[in-house]
């Protein structure tokens, strides 16, 4: 276009970024997990990051009761899967956290989060499975399977790590001082 300048190009990019970030404010991010968080220090950390996240988007936690009354691991996973599948809407975008999932850096995660907000009609759900993991049926239902690390962490700790990474992602997308490269 005649008369385009680097200044105008920069302004247009900023406008587009602002529109994309504003869209994120209307998406509900839900973090789902099985069973109560037992350790107070983990719960305190989760509450801190959830409080910070509310400045960027709507966010909530949903806790499903664990099925440990059943002794058989596969029965526990099946029971937990049924509860979760009943709660998922066809408009939801499901991200399953699993050690065998796709690893991302914090910056890559921020970019993915931005992409997911553009495809989700309603909610982005991050699901942390129970202590025995999840069924293949639930893995198949997921739109993305995310690995937080090649290390194995307790499902309790991953809740806190996820809340922190979501907060970090929003600060990266907004070019705020939190993430250091």
């Amino acid at each position: 276009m005649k008369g385009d300048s680097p200044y105008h190009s920069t302004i247009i990019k900023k406008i587009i970024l602002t529109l994309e970030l504003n869209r994120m404010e209307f998406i509900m991010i839900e973090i789902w997990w099985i069973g109560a968080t037992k350790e107070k220090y983990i719960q305190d950390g989760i509450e801190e990051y959830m409080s910070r996240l509310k400045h960027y988007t709507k966010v909530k936690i949903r806790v499903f009761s664990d099925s440990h009354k059943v002794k058989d691991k596969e029965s526990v996973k099946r029971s937990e899967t049924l509860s979760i599948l009943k709660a998922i809407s066809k408009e939801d975008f499901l991200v399953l956290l699993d050690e065998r999932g796709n690893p991302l850096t914090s910056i890559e995660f921020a970019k993915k989060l931005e992409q997911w907000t553009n495809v989700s009609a309603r909610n982005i759900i991050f699901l942390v499975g129970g202590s025995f993991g999840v069924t293949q049926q639930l893995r198949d239902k997921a739109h993305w399977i995310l690995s937080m690390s090649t290390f194995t962490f307790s499902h309790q700790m991953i809740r806190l790590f996820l809340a922190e990474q979501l907060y970090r992602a929003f600060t990266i997308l907004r070019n705020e001082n939190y993430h250091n490269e």
Side-chain angles (χ1 to χ4, degrees), residues 73-134:
K73 289 180 186 180
E74 289 304 312
S75 296
V76 169
K77 291 192 315 187
R78 278 193 304 275
S79 175
E80 292 169 350
T81 294
L82 287 175
S83 297
I84 292 163
L85 289 175
K86 285 180 188 174
I88 295 174
S89 162
K90 66 180 179 179
E91 293 90 24
D92 293 335
F93 188 89
L94 179 62
V95 179
L96 174 65
L97 277 69
D98 186 279
E99 62 194 14
R100 294 166 294 172
N102 301 295
L104 298 172
T105 66
S106 293
I107 291 174
E108 291 169 337
F109 179 63
K111 289 177 183 173
K112 277 286 182 201
L113 182 60
E114 187 175 39
Q115 289 172 2
W116 296 333
T117 62
N118 292 326
V119 298
S120 176
R122 200 172 121 191
N123 300 328
I124 300 174
I125 298 169
F126 290 89
L127 174 63
V128 179
S131 56
F132 298 135
V134 298

Side-chain angles (χ1 to χ4, degrees), residues 16-139:
I16 291 169
L17 177 62
T18 300
L19 292 172
E20 289 172 349
L21 292 175
N22 287 341
R23 163 116 171 95
M24 294 178 104
E25 293 174 12
F26 297 105
I27 294 290
M28 172 67 79
I29 292 181
E30 296 188 35
I31 304 173
W32 291 4
W33 61 65
I34 309 292
T37 302
K38 296 176 180 131
E39 300 294 336
K40 184 177 178 351
Y41 72 94
I42 293 175
Q43 186 59 42
D44 290 347
I46 292 168
E47 288 172 10
E48 173 64 28
Y49 286 107
M50 293 298 286
S51 174
R52 293 181 187 191
L53 276 167
K54 289 180 180 177
H55 298 286
Y56 301 102
T57 191
K58 293 183 250 174
V59 61
K60 71 178 182 178
I61 292 172
R62 180 166 182 181
V63 180
F64 291 83
S65 60
D66 57 21
S67 302
H68 286 261
K69 294 175 186 125
V70 182
K71 304 229 188 257
D72 165 24
K73 289 180 186 180
E74 289 304 312
S75 296
V76 169
K77 291 192 315 187
R78 278 193 304 275
S79 175
E80 292 169 350
T81 294
L82 287 175
S83 297
I84 292 163
L85 289 175
K86 285 180 188 174
I88 295 174
S89 162
K90 66 180 179 179
E91 293 90 24
D92 293 335
F93 188 89
L94 179 62
V95 179
L96 174 65
L97 277 69
D98 186 279
E99 62 194 14
R100 294 166 294 172
N102 301 295
L104 298 172
T105 66
S106 293
I107 291 174
E108 291 169 337
F109 179 63
K111 289 177 183 173
K112 277 286 182 201
L113 182 60
E114 187 175 39
Q115 289 172 2
W116 296 333
T117 62
N118 292 326
V119 298
S120 176
R122 200 172 121 191
N123 300 328
I124 300 174
I125 298 169
F126 290 89
L127 174 63
V128 179
S131 56
F132 298 135
V134 298
T135 62
Q136 186 61 45
Q137 182 183 13
L138 202 47
R139 288 178 63 81

